Amino acid sequence: MANLSIKDVPERWAEALRQRAARNHRSLQGELMNLVEQAIVDQPVGLGSPMAAKSSDALPPVGQVVGFDRLGLPITRRGSKTIEQIYAEHIKRFPQPFTEGPMSVDIVRQDRDRR
């Protein structure tokens, strides 16, 4: 794979890109790859795209290809539930918190102590 480099980027642009990456739950490298993909494919892709930011009406239909990942594989939109709907369904299925089984902090500590 080729490597690209951009020099002399204004600090305010770099900070804006870092914030955009954080909003989209990506690394800075991932966000930059997404922007390059958008430019190449010439269509909005991902959470930070103008199309996704307008409204839920602008979302492509379920199963539609919305872009391509860094390996050239298609990215499709499959789910249609909001986080609020998923949360409500989870609370309905599991009204009481789990009290059995290992705690995640113990699992992480145990894994860390093995190293």
Side-chain angles (χ1 to χ4, degrees):
M1 266 193 193
N3 288 316
L4 302 175
S5 176
I6 302 174
K7 295 179 171 83
D8 300 323
V9 175
E11 185 56 40
R12 62 191 168 99
W13 289 11
E15 182 57 31
L17 283 169
R18 283 190 283 272
Q19 290 177 5
R20 178 182 170 134
R23 277 194 312 272
N24 291 327
H25 307 285
R26 295 187 184 111
S27 65
L28 181 57
Q29 176 70 24
E31 188 64 28
L32 292 170
M33 286 293 291
N34 182 266
L35 289 170
V36 171
E37 279 181 19
Q38 286 180 36
I40 291 169
V41 176
D42 197 27
Q43 68 180 18
V45 176
L47 298 172
S49 70
M51 185 174 82
K54 288 181 183 174
S55 72
S56 61
D57 296 335
L59 291 174
V62 174
Q64 181 176 346
V65 175
V66 294
F68 298 90
D69 68 8
R70 63 189 183 121
L71 300 175
L73 300 172
I75 299 171
T76 58
R77 180 177 170 271
R78 287 180 248 176
S80 60
K81 294 179 183 177
T82 65
I83 192 69
E84 291 81 11
Q85 290 169 324
I86 294 169
Y87 175 75
E89 288 175 9
H90 180 77
I91 293 301
K92 194 174 186 180
R93 280 184 70 194
F94 307 105
Q96 299 298 319
F98 292 109
T99 56
E100 299 174 11
M103 295 184 62
S104 59
V105 68
D106 295 332
I107 294 170
V108 171
R109 185 173 292 127
Q110 188 179 35
D111 183 53
R112 184 190 63 215
D113 291 344
R114 279 191 206 138
R115 295 181 199 173

